Amino acid sequence: MFPGNRLKVLPSLGLGKMCINFSRYSNFGGSTLPGRLAASLSPDILSILASQLKEGCILITGTNGKTTTAYLLAKILSQAGKKIIHNRSGANLISGVTTSFIAESTWSGKINADLGVIEVDEASMPAVASRLRVKAAIVTNLFPDQLDRFGELKHILKIIAQGLNKIDGDGFLLLNADDPLVSSIKKNVRTIYYGIDRLKGASITADQTDIKTCYRCGKKYDYAHIHYAHLGIYRCPGCGIRRPSPQYSIVSHFKKPAQSAAVAIKTPTGVFQFSLKARGFYNIYNALAAISCALILGVREEVIKASLRQFTACFGRMETFAIENKMVELALIKNPVGANEVLRTIVEEDGEITLMLAVNDKYADGTDVSWLWDVDFEMLAHPDNKIKNIFCSGTRGEEMSLRLKYAGIDTRKIKYEDDLNIIFRESLSNTPDGGKLPILLTYTAMLELRKIINKMGYGKKFWEE
Amino acid sequence: MQGLKLRFAHLYPDLMNSYGDRGNMIALVMRARWRGFSVEVMDVSAGDNRRITGADCIVIGGGQGLEERMAICKDLQQKSPEIHYCAENKIPILAICSGFQLLGKYYLTAEGDRIPGIGLLDIWTIASKRRAVGHIALRVRLGNMNKTIVGFENHAGNTFLGARALPFGKVLKGYGNNGQDGKEGAIYKNVLGTYLHGPLLPKHPWLADYILEKAVNNKYPGTRLKLLNSKFEKMAYQKVLKRMAVRC
Ligand SMILES: [Zn+2]
């Protein structure tokens, strides 16, 4: 650490911090602006602040699950007594990461933390990694997601791999063995795999929205088992590449009542059993990634269990609010696989369903909403699922309504309204007392709705989350 | 229209389905069912040798990369005689993006490899460095209809039309086949190839019905399609028009 450098960035740091305070005060959820502003004045502000971390950073990237994985890992490591810096609000571009560091630094530019747990947008990996000391990296999975922004999956893979060059010599890389693209990453660093074994009672299902041909030779993979989408136990009959056998693997998983599950992970030293208060396959993967990483870092099992007990789904992934006497559940949707998982959790519930959907097509959402047609909204039209009303809004709420019509839902049950505030209040008043209102939203619609909920006097502020 | 049956073939639904291309098949199926047809969809993937000549309509989506293209290319050569037979017998065929490219003569990769198509459409495609991504609007004349079509394109290939292919539409906004000649897509008999992804048919119900009517009339001549309420379709369509600031 060079004090001279630190002094040099103080004015822009101050400006960034003032900007953050203003955002908090004005309830303006700007998680990227302060960082962008400060970095425009001092381009090296992030590296100067981050270089003070005693143990460097752990980066988490991939299409789905990076927010929850990072959140869980940060919780576990805090429980283990480490001081953590974590970009909690899902601000995962370089500007957002910079904002998180500015928020955590003192006015004199000091960072009093041991370790950074940083969620990074796939495309931002090289830029973020080059400014941090990377102790470890986790790659969760790669799905087609907002392809109009990123180009093809293999291109994203290349970009991620570029960012991974920065891992310390004594660090490690933690990869999802069940994802053929992710497990194909080869780096000159200790590489550890996690995955889910073939579980008893699980059936093979194949989504049609995803790549299932070999990234190397184009042959169709042979799957001994598919967990969901292209994640599973695969082998290529053409070139012979196969799923690496994971050092950390889930060997059993039982659903329990009240949205929880009993899970067992086989580790190099034994079996680790725990109970998780979140259902849905994606949460199991997230927990597995975070737990494996913590175990590799030497965190004790009791500590991990203690933090898992406190875990409830975090920002954007099925977050719940109590409004009046109703439960409002927010779920971020951004691609078919993630959206299908959320829908599956919703239809698992008993009783009549009132649902709200808000789809925006701003830059941060992805400007192409065609992927809505790859989501299995048809499951809502299944006669077993009693749909009462579906309320649609957002800049592409009309397309959302149209998708529902073609999913076979009675158009009399579909209501479209441009104004998010109005549709939210209407959805609420249509939800029975003591009932639940699931809301599926794209990223910027989520930010808008959070503001509305805050203004109504419910929920935590964006920043305190 | 009770008792009338339609059979659709969906080619490579597992490999060729990006950006909501499934939406087109959904639109055809639902618009037929709402009119009382009983509909069967035959999913035909690579290596599936069931005959497709009994289909009343064929849909091929777009793939995501070269690998899918290679896998499908081989398989498509085997299905080529059947697809030609269908096309010559006026079976409507809808092909999107790389599906569209593969119905042409060839696709020239950036490395200079020539991937053969099945030569149903008199078109050829040359890989380009620049990806054409974004909203697109077309002016389309089909039969006695003259309409504006909106959609989303995402391709890294420039397609050129030979003398035996007509363009599907004239580009109003966006890139189109090659960014130069203002043409988009290609038409031959009832074969329609286009770069417009996914929910092309749901947002343009008249086009879905145009294709559906061809399919129905081959099998049950003289059958008229019942008019359907299209309030939702219009709203979604109008929104994109407004977004693109295109006049109808
Ligand atoms: Zn292979």
Side-chain angles (χ1 to χ4, degrees):
Chain A
M1 178 61 215
F2 316 105
N5 267 345
R6 200 171 81 200
L7 289 180
K8 202 179 69 187
V9 302
L10 285 187
S12 30
L13 177 74
L15 192 64
K17 289 188 83 67
M18 266 151 57
C19 186
I20 290 172
N21 283 346
F22 173 74
S23 310
R24 278 177 181 155
Y25 179 70
S26 64
N27 208 358
F28 162 78
S31 53
T32 60
L33 186 66
R36 206 184 309 149
L37 199 65
S40 70
L41 297 170
S42 309
D44 48 358
I45 189 162
L46 177 57
S47 33
I48 287 171
L49 293 176
S51 67
Q52 302 171 56
L53 289 172
K54 295 185 191 82
E55 298 177 34
C57 288
I58 297 170
L59 306 187
I60 296 102
T61 193
T63 313
N64 287 309
K66 50 185 177 287
T67 304
T68 308
T69 304
Y71 173 87
L72 254 174
L73 182 59
K75 275 260 179 289
I76 295 171
L77 294 174
S78 309
Q79 184 93 23
K82 301 217 183 269
K83 281 210 73 186
I84 301 294
I85 286 193
H86 169 43
N87 53 338
R88 262 177 284 200
S89 47
N92 56 21
L93 308 177
I94 183 129
S95 49
V97 176
T98 308
T99 303
S100 305
F101 274 89
I102 292 175
E104 290 295 323
S105 104
T106 65
W107 286 83
S108 60
K110 278 212 183 101
I111 295 274
N112 292 316
D114 305 308
L115 194 60
V117 175
I118 307 296
E119 162 196 343
V120 189
D121 176 86
E122 303 90 285
S124 305
M125 271 298 281
V128 172
S130 70
R131 288 169 171 83
L132 305 175
R133 209 178 86 230
V134 186
K135 182 192 178 83
I138 305 175
V139 185
T140 57
N141 50 55
L142 277 173
F143 285 100
D145 174 28
Q146 304 183 0
L147 282 164
D148 57 319
R149 251 199 324 153
F150 294 146
E152 291 179 38
L153 279 177
K154 279 222 283 194
H155 178 60
I156 302 170
L157 186 70
K158 247 186 239 167
I159 293 177
I160 290 178
Q162 217 180 313
L164 298 175
N165 287 334
K166 272 281 297 175
I167 300 174
D168 277 357
D170 58 350
F172 63 92
L173 176 59
L174 184 57
L175 299 177
N176 186 343
D178 300 345
D179 186 315
L181 271 178
V182 169
S183 70
S184 76
I185 297 173
K186 295 267 177 301
K187 288 286 152 195
N188 207 0
V189 65
R190 183 156 72 112
T191 303
I192 300 156
Y193 300 94
Y194 65 90
I196 299 181
D197 279 358
R198 184 168 187 168
L199 303 173
K200 262 186 216 144
S203 61
I204 298 186
T205 54
D207 282 291
Q208 300 201 334
T209 52
D210 218 346
I211 28 147
K212 284 192 203 71
T213 53
C214 177
Y215 67 95
R216 274 185 15 199
C217 68
K219 277 256 161 56
K220 267 185 155 186
Y221 291 119
D222 279 342
Y223 277 92
H225 189 77
I226 294 178
H227 300 311
Y228 74 84
H230 64 274
L231 303 184
I233 300 167
Y234 52 86
R235 196 188 75 89
C236 173
C239 64
I241 68 126
R242 53 169 67 228
R243 170 188 186 248
S245 70
Q247 288 92 329
Y248 294 85
S249 57
I250 288 188
V251 288
S252 82
H253 168 242
F254 294 104
K255 275 184 190 172
K256 294 196 301 192
Q259 293 288 310
S260 75
V263 188
I265 299 179
K266 193 162 127 295
T267 73
T269 54
V271 175
F272 174 58
Q273 288 182 321
F274 60 97
S275 156
L276 190 67
K277 259 189 288 178
R279 289 234 288 246
F281 232 95
Y282 53 114
N283 276 321
I284 310 291
Y285 264 118
N286 298 335
L288 174 63
I291 293 167
S292 311
C293 187
L295 288 171
I296 298 166
L297 290 168
V299 179
R300 292 204 328 270
E301 293 190 359
E302 308 90 78
V303 174
I304 297 176
K305 277 184 194 163
S307 32
L308 287 175
R309 275 195 288 273
Q310 297 158 20
F311 169 72
T312 46
C314 60
F315 180 67
R317 312 286 196 279
M318 283 285 191
E319 188 186 18
T320 50
F321 293 92
I323 297 185
E324 290 152 15
N325 52 355
K326 296 158 188 181
M327 287 300 279
V328 174
E329 282 188 346
L330 307 193
L332 183 70
I333 53 166
K334 51 180 186 165
N335 58 32
V337 174
N340 281 342
E341 282 296 314
V342 173
L343 287 174
R344 254 170 239 151
T345 351
I346 291 170
V347 299
E348 260 182 29
E349 305 273 337
D350 301 326
E352 276 198 325
I353 301 169
T354 294
L355 185 69
M356 181 180 144
L357 290 146
V359 174
N360 280 357
D361 63 351
K362 295 176 184 167
Y363 182 75
D365 304 292
T367 55
D368 178 20
V369 298
S370 302
W371 61 271
L372 291 175
W373 294 86
D374 290 326
V375 179
D376 295 328
F377 287 106
E378 280 76 8
M379 72 177 102
L380 295 174
H382 193 278
D384 287 353
N385 302 317
K386 299 175 195 73
I387 298 293
K388 195 173 136 218
N389 284 302
I390 305 185
F391 296 89
C392 300
S393 187
T395 55
R396 293 300 288 279
E398 300 93 337
E399 179 108 7
M400 188 61 248
S401 314
L402 183 64
R403 175 69 189 94
L404 293 172
K405 173 181 174 179
Y406 278 87
I409 291 157
D410 185 343
T411 49
R412 284 168 300 188
K413 295 179 177 175
I414 307 168
K415 175 116 203 255
Y416 162 74
E417 159 65 49
D418 193 38
D419 190 317
L420 193 64
N421 203 348
I422 294 174
I423 202 98
F424 177 55
R425 281 161 201 276
E426 205 173 333
S427 311
L428 261 183
S429 67
N430 270 279
T431 306
D433 287 336
K436 218 182 232 182
L437 173 66
I439 306 181
L440 278 59
L441 327 90
T442 61
Y443 186 70
T444 64
M446 164 86 72
L447 296 184
E448 285 169 41
L449 188 63
R450 294 271 316 209
K451 257 188 237 171
I452 292 171
I453 293 176
N454 286 347
K455 271 201 187 131
M456 290 168 72
Y458 297 97
K460 298 160 281 188
K461 285 216 178 94
F462 192 93
W463 278 94
E464 293 160 358
E465 198 266 323
Chain B
M1 276 162 239
Q2 296 300 328
L4 301 194
K5 275 184 192 150
L6 287 174
R7 195 158 185 236
F8 298 148
H10 198 178
L11 297 195
Y12 316 110
D14 50 343
L15 300 171
M16 304 276 272
N17 178 26
S18 42
Y19 318 104
D21 286 339
R22 197 169 64 140
N24 292 321
M25 186 49 104
I26 293 174
L28 290 171
V29 170
M30 295 307 277
R31 297 187 73 78
R33 284 196 181 139
W34 287 329
R35 291 176 166 113
F37 287 93
S38 86
V39 180
E40 183 202 333
V41 180
M42 185 167 78
D43 286 340
V44 185
S45 191
D48 184 340
N49 295 322
R50 283 177 298 167
R51 291 173 65 82
I52 50 173
T53 44
D56 302 308
C57 177
I58 301 173
V59 176
I60 315 173
Q64 286 182 352
L66 210 57
E67 290 77 23
E68 284 86 358
R69 204 192 299 274
M70 298 300 280
I72 284 155
C73 169
K74 264 193 222 153
D75 191 76
L76 205 58
Q77 296 302 335
Q78 292 183 345
K79 294 186 169 62
S80 171
E82 289 186 38
I83 297 173
H84 275 270
Y85 175 89
C86 290
E88 295 307 325
N89 285 287
K90 295 194 182 158
I91 297 297
I93 301 178
L94 175 68
I96 309 292
C97 201
S98 46
F100 164 44
Q101 295 170 347
L102 283 168
L103 293 194
K105 292 179 176 164
Y106 60 87
Y107 176 93
L108 197 65
T109 68
E111 289 77 33
D113 295 327
R114 202 173 143 129
I115 303 179
I118 62 165
L120 179 60
L121 292 170
D122 184 14
I123 61 156
W124 58 95
T125 304
I126 298 166
S128 73
K129 284 201 185 97
R130 200 184 130 211
R131 230 184 147 73
V133 184
H135 293 282
I136 178 168
L138 311 176
R139 194 71 191 167
V140 166
R141 277 171 204 274
L142 267 183
N144 54 5
M145 287 174 295
N146 188 353
K147 305 255 192 188
T148 300
I149 279 187
V150 289
F152 204 89
E153 61 180 329
N154 186 342
H155 54 105
N158 288 330
T159 296
F160 300 90
L161 266 55
R164 283 189 300 114
L166 293 167
F168 169 46
K170 202 179 100 199
V171 178
L172 300 177
K173 268 195 179 172
Y175 192 83
N177 282 348
N178 50 47
Q180 296 158 32
D181 59 17
K183 292 173 183 169
E184 206 293 323
I187 285 188
Y188 168 72
K189 295 203 169 167
N190 291 333
V191 182
L192 163 58
T194 174
Y195 276 116
L196 273 65
H197 267 291
L200 169 67
L201 298 187
K203 273 202 291 294
H204 305 92
W206 63 268
L207 182 59
D209 288 352
Y210 176 85
I211 294 172
L212 208 52
E213 201 154 49
K214 301 268 182 211
V216 170
N217 273 306
N218 283 330
K219 197 169 195 176
Y220 307 107
T223 312
R224 296 285 297 267
L225 293 183
K226 226 173 20 192
L227 219 63
L228 298 174
N229 180 322
S230 58
K231 186 181 128 208
F232 279 57
E233 287 83 347
K234 262 186 204 141
M235 277 199 327
Y237 168 75
Q238 293 290 353
K239 185 52 155 292
V240 185
L241 268 190
K242 218 169 110 192
R243 177 66 95 252
M244 294 189 67
V246 175
R247 271 207 208 107
C248 199

